[in-house]
Amino acid sequence: MAHRTAAAALVSCAALLAVTGCSSGFDSDEKTQQDSSSKQNLKILIASSGDAETKAVQDAVAAYEKASGNKVTVDVAKDINQQLAQSFAGHKPPDAFYVNSDQFANYAKGGSLYAYGDKVSDADDFNEGLRQSFTYDGKLTCLPKDVSTLALAINTDLWKKAGLTDKDYPTSWAELKKVADKLTGKGTTGLVVGAEYARLGVFLKEAGGWITDPDQSKMTADSSENVEALTYVKSLLKSGSLKYAAQVDTGWGGEALGKGKAAMTIEGSWLTGAMKTDYPDTGYTAVPLPAGPGGKGTLAFSQCWGVAAESTHQSAAVDLVKYLTSAKQQLVNADAFGVLPSRTSAQTELAKKDPSAKVWLDANAYAQGPVTVAGFDKVLGQFNTDLAALASTEPKTVLGNLQRNGEQALTKAKDN
């Protein structure tokens, strides 16, 4: 599920060839001979969050085929990072594909992506922060397909049974701890989240910290703000009012919420589609994440539509991506599986159409984007491993490891 877990690390040198720049054998300056026929056959690869997203893409592609005369084969990846890396290394990539933000710089640096941003006349309609996330060497390389932020989702039945009302929605860390304690017991945990920085990172932001400085040139992991954040998280883990999803035999926070094993979780707007499909009888509401010592904080997630540098259908692939990222299609996707539009015009339209999306839309104003430095995905993978053991580890140790590993990655990225 594309958004629900941190991206898996690549496990073989062969898979890394094309994405790390360690000699893929393809010169990105070479011109791939292009298919100029009027009707072309395209292949796209997606990493779906579930049946609702898969169907939305398939329906959009069918409409595009009818309008364009082109044929498009949609493949759903089991592990998109690994499958893309292998296809790049074998010089047989799909024409268009989802690109995770944590892999974008790797692919761009390795010469695997065709930078088509200058072919999009209305690119300015896409959220500026998202455009920056998918810009490499000053070029908008691929269009962000959507965006999701994180909010606090609450099981309303469990909330009411605990004697809580909407006046008790937590707006501070102290209030979050209070309600999490009250909601814990009888097989339910107050707060259940994924054991990863893509969820727990909100506490770093709310404490006034983050992993790097704004331009991603310097590590800021071992700050007092970040120590305060992880110390707070550890206190909830130790008390039992916070558990990781795996500790309650679930795959992610949404499953824990839907099954009543969690009274609260921290999840993104994709939760709406999942709850509608998988847990239609579970009542829930989403509210802004409580502020910390440093103020409000949330994280923003996105993927972009990459086009392969070795595709022989680049023009048709870009045409398809324009269709799939139109304001109309983004609003269809928002309704189908909960993601927010990456176009500002569509975000405005969605706010009018669906008031329940407001909590996630408003969070864009203070959301922290991902770290998009080449090679940094391995650093974050180790950070996730350390966070999983936070209950028995000192926060300073976890952050010290992150600081050292991150500094090495930044230095390597600059040298290369």
Side-chain angles (χ1 to χ4, degrees), residues 19 44 53 67 103 110 155 169 180 188 198 202 209 256 260 262 286 310 357 375 379 402:
V19 298
I44 68 174
E53 180 170 359
Q103 293 296 331
N155 182 309
Y169 293 153
T188 297
V202 298
E310 291 190 274
V379 176
L402 176 59

Side-chain angles (χ1 to χ4, degrees), residues 57-336:
V57 174
Q58 291 172 335
D59 288 349
V61 162
Y64 169 78
E65 288 178 323
K66 189 174 181 180
S68 67
N70 293 328
K71 294 296 181 183
V72 183
T73 300
V74 180
D75 289 327
V76 180
K78 291 182 179 178
D79 184 335
I80 195 163
N81 290 344
Q82 188 168 14
Q83 288 173 239
L84 280 177
Q86 290 171 342
S87 72
F88 293 148
H91 304 289
K92 292 183 178 180
D95 299 292
F97 41 86
Y98 286 9
V99 176
N100 290 329
S101 58
D102 66 335
Q103 293 296 331
F104 166 72
N106 292 337
Y107 297 156
K109 185 177 181 180
S112 300
L113 300 180
Y114 169 57
Y116 63 85
D118 60 352
K119 310 293 184 186
V120 182
S121 60
D122 61 349
D124 287 350
D125 188 34
F126 290 84
N127 177 279
E128 182 179 359
L130 297 178
R131 280 186 280 128
Q132 288 301 315
S133 292
F134 298 115
T135 293
Y136 187 81
D137 275 352
K139 294 181 180 179
L140 175 59
T141 303
C142 50
L143 294 180
K145 72 180 189 68
D146 48 45
V147 63
S148 296
T149 60
L150 297 176
L152 184 70
I154 296 169
N155 182 309
T156 51
D157 290 337
L158 294 175
W159 191 261
K160 290 176 183 176
K161 286 179 181 178
L164 299 169
T165 70
D166 55 3
K167 294 180 180 179
D168 296 304
Y169 293 153
T171 59
S172 68
W173 283 4
E175 292 175 358
L176 178 62
K177 175 175 171 42
K178 182 179 179 181
V179 294
D181 286 342
K182 187 166 187 176
L183 290 161
T184 298
K186 296 181 180 179
T188 297
T189 301
L191 178 62
V192 175
V193 300
E196 55 185 345
Y197 101 98
R199 299 296 178 273
L200 299 174
V202 298
F203 294 103
L204 304 184
K205 285 302 296 180
E206 290 163 6
W210 186 238
I211 298 169
T212 71
D213 64 355
D215 63 4
Q216 302 187 134
S217 63
K218 180 182 178 182
M219 288 297 297
T220 58
D222 60 353
S223 68
S224 60
E225 291 85 358
N226 288 339
V227 170
E228 183 176 12
L230 293 193
T231 299
Y232 173 76
V233 173
K234 182 175 180 178
S235 72
L236 297 183
L237 286 167
K238 296 289 283 185
S239 73
S241 63
L242 165 62
K243 289 182 181 177
Y244 294 143
Q247 291 178 293
V248 296
D249 298 318
T250 57
W252 66 295
E255 181 183 355
L257 189 76
K259 290 183 175 179
K261 293 187 176 184
M264 300 182 291
T265 190
I266 296 172
E267 276 299 337
S269 52
W270 54 83
L271 179 71
T272 60
M275 294 296 285
K276 186 188 304 181
T277 302
D278 300 332
Y279 309 103
D281 297 327
T282 300
Y284 77 99
T285 190
V287 299
L289 287 165
K296 293 181 179 180
T298 191
L299 306 183
F301 302 89
S302 185
Q303 296 167 312
C304 73
W305 273 106
V307 171
E310 291 190 274
S311 169
T312 58
H313 309 283
Q314 288 175 348
S315 180
V318 171
D319 185 53
L320 171 62
V321 169
K322 288 179 181 178
Y323 189 93
L324 295 175
T325 58
S326 66
K328 178 181 178 181
Q329 185 57 42
Q330 289 197 7
L331 288 169
V332 169
N333 292 347
D335 182 61

